[in-house]
């Protein structure tokens, strides 16, 4: 096994274990638990069974819908009911096995059951590994918007077994790469160079390149959330965790507009292209770095444009963004590579013009 560990120095420190075969370490992390409940989507039913068999304790399987369909109040209630029926106590543990939506839900279940029980996250997608499973954010969606209800709750550990990536469709890997690209722009430009050197290798689940990219992206997020778990330190140039929202203000609005039929990374890709164009038009970012967003994202096959006539609905949806404070819209932008900043209360014409530039660029590709 090629295993790396990344320390997250949050309020309750934990490790992210990354590498082929990381899942084999699970029994040692739940050795003291009397029972475990594995929350997973239908497609991972067989893997969940193998996981439960490997642990020397009583097990419970809780199957939930795939992707964002799992993050509802109804599914949350069903998970609570299953735990209640099984008599789960604070001596037991909850495991989230699946993509980012599953680990968001499972983490929320663990944080709220008996006011918090041991939680182990096992992400099975690129997106889950580099984003959702690391950082302690949990949550569910409402009809009004994404992740409007949730908690901050650190896992006991995160096991990122890269062998899971080998069974994923390329579209799923591509979507996860959007968050990897984000880490490159806000903190680690070496990520961008690696992708530019060989975009196809970045999407190869069996290669060394994707392993390096996943690890670097996790290191970026671990460093950020270790300093600011609860997203409280955006004062002046100290953005803290808020910088991780680069591309997400518009991205989340697009997800809602698409009724969550788009993959998260696809929406965030467009959101980053928009944030870069907004940064440039606000006079905060040079033209080459702004344009580099589109070049890197399109090299991976990710979208960077959206229909111009959707703007009124998207603009309304952004008012519910979690970064909005006292009805003031805030955008995470870039001032240069690896230096994010906040653009507060941007002019409405500036916002609209930056968005329309994306739809015009689509006709030039």
């Amino acid at each position: 096994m090629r295993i790396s560990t990344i320390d997250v120095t949050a309020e309750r420190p934990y490790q992210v274990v990354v590498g082929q075969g990381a899942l084999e370490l699970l029994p040692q992390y739940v050795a003291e638990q009397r029972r475990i409940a594995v929350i997973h989507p239908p497609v991972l039913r067989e893997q969940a069974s193998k996981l439960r068999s490997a642990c020397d304790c009583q097990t419970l399987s809780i199957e939930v819908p795939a992707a964002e369909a799992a993050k509802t109040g109804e599914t949350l209630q069903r998970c609570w009911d299953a735990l209640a029926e099984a008599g789960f106590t604070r001596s037991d543990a909850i495991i989230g096995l699946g993509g980012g939506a599953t680990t968001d839900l499972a983490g929320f279940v663990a944080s709220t059951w008996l006011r918090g029980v041991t939680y182990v996250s096992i992400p099975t997608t690129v997106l889950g590994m580099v984003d959702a499973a690391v950082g302690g954010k949990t949550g569910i969606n409402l009809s009004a918007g994404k992740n409007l209800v949730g908690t901050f709750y650190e896992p006991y550990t995160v096991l990122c077994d890269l062998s899971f990536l080998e069974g994923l469709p390329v579209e799923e890997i591509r979507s996860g790469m959007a968050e990897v690209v984000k880490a490159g722009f806000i903190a680690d430009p070496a990520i961008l160079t690696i992708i530019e050197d060989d975009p196809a290798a970045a999407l190869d689940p069996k290669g060394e390149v994707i392993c390096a990219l996943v690890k670097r992206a996790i290191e970026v997020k671990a460093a950020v959330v270790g300093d600011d778990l609860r997203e409280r330190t955006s004062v002046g140039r100290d953005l803290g965790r808020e910088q991780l929202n680069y591309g997400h203000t518009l991205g989340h609005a697009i997800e809602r507009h698409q009724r969550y039929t788009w993959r998260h990374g696809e929406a965030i890709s467009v959101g980053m292209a928009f944030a870069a164009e907004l940064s440039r038009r606000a006079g905060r970012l040079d033209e080459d770095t702004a344009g580099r967003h589109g070049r890197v994202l399109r090299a991976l096959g990710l979208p960077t444009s959206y229909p111009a006539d959707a703007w009124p609905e998207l603009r309304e949806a952004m008012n519910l963004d979690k970064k909005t404070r006292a009805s003031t819209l805030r955008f995470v932008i870039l001032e240069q590579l690896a230096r994010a900043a906040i653009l507060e209360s941007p002019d409405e014409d500036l916002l609209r013009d930056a968005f329309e530039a994306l739809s015009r660029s689509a006709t030039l590709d």
Side-chain angles (χ1 to χ4, degrees):
M1 294 188 297
R2 291 170 296 172
I3 300 294
S4 300
T5 57
I6 300 168
D7 294 322
V8 184
T9 55
E11 294 174 8
R12 296 186 302 175
Y14 61 96
Q15 285 188 327
V16 181
V17 184
V18 186
Q20 299 280 345
L23 191 57
E24 295 177 21
L25 301 178
L26 175 63
Q28 73 182 50
Y29 284 105
V30 296
E32 298 182 2
Q33 266 60 54
R34 187 168 61 96
R35 288 179 298 186
I36 60 171
V38 183
I39 297 176
H40 63 91
V43 71
L44 293 175
R45 188 177 300 149
E46 182 179 348
Q47 289 88 337
S49 178
K50 292 178 180 178
L51 181 154
R52 297 196 311 273
S53 298
C55 298
D56 187 22
C57 58
Q58 299 177 41
T59 62
L60 171 69
S61 174
I62 303 177
E63 197 167 288
V64 298
E68 293 295 326
K71 294 172 61 174
T72 67
E74 292 77 11
T75 303
L76 177 65
Q77 182 68 56
R78 186 158 58 81
C79 291
W80 285 334
D81 288 342
L83 295 174
E85 184 177 350
F88 260 60
T89 72
R90 287 182 178 169
S91 299
D92 306 322
I94 291 172
I95 295 174
L97 173 71
T102 302
T103 57
D104 278 355
L105 169 70
F108 189 47
V109 172
S111 72
T112 51
W113 183 251
L114 301 179
R115 298 187 177 90
V117 297
T118 298
Y119 175 57
V120 176
S121 182
I122 304 177
T124 60
T125 65
V126 175
L127 178 62
M129 292 178 185
V130 305
D131 184 38
V134 180
K137 278 188 177 181
T138 76
I140 61 171
N141 303 331
L142 302 180
S143 59
K146 184 173 181 178
N147 294 329
L148 291 181
V149 178
T151 61
F152 292 98
Y153 192 70
E154 300 102 316
Y156 182 63
T157 194
V158 180
L159 300 178
C160 298
D161 192 327
L162 298 176
S163 62
F164 277 117
L165 304 184
E166 297 178 12
L168 295 178
V170 67
E171 293 81 7
E172 189 65 41
I173 294 174
R174 182 178 290 123
S175 172
M177 276 295 147
E179 290 286 354
V180 176
V181 170
K182 180 196 75 177
F185 277 112
I186 67 170
D188 184 3
I191 287 174
L192 307 178
T193 302
I194 293 170
I195 293 172
E196 289 166 330
D197 286 345
D198 194 343
L203 299 173
D204 180 3
K206 297 181 180 180
E208 294 293 328
V209 172
I210 196 170
C211 296
L213 290 171
V214 166
K215 184 172 182 291
R216 295 187 81 103
I218 291 174
E219 287 172 338
V220 167
K221 186 158 189 181
V224 172
V225 302
D227 290 336
D228 180 24
L229 173 67
R230 300 179 185 274
E231 202 171 288
R232 290 175 174 169
T233 61
S234 291
V235 178
R237 289 195 174 276
D238 183 6
L239 264 63
R241 186 169 183 154
E242 195 169 7
Q243 66 189 289
L244 297 173
N245 290 316
Y246 186 60
H248 283 57
T249 300
L250 179 65
H252 282 168
I254 289 174
E255 286 184 284
R256 184 184 176 196
H257 188 256
Q258 289 289 333
R259 294 180 174 84
Y260 303 104
T261 58
W262 271 33
R263 288 178 169 86
H264 175 73
E266 294 168 340
I268 299 309
S269 178
V270 178
M272 282 191 287
F274 171 75
E277 180 66 15
L278 183 61
S279 304
R280 185 188 72 81
R281 288 174 177 263
R284 305 280 287 274
L285 184 66
D286 66 276
E287 186 169 349
D288 183 66
T289 303
R292 192 178 184 185
H293 285 68
R295 294 192 296 272
V296 172
L297 293 166
R298 287 192 291 270
L300 292 169
L302 286 162
T304 57
S305 63
Y306 203 75
D309 59 6
W311 177 247
E313 291 181 60
L314 296 176
R315 179 61 187 86
E316 182 179 357
M318 286 191 290
N319 286 330
L320 277 174
D321 185 80
K322 298 188 296 299
K323 293 169 291 305
T324 300
R325 299 179 184 176
S327 299
T328 299
L329 190 61
R330 296 158 55 88
F331 283 88
V332 179
I333 62 169
L334 278 190
E335 293 185 326
Q336 63 183 48
L337 274 179
R339 191 169 82 183
I342 295 295
L343 180 62
E344 194 165 354
S345 300
D347 183 82
E348 292 294 330
D349 289 339
L350 178 66
L351 291 173
R352 185 183 61 254
D353 291 348
F355 182 77
E356 291 178 351
L358 300 188
S359 60
R360 290 197 300 272
S361 70
T363 65
L364 302 176
D365 291 340

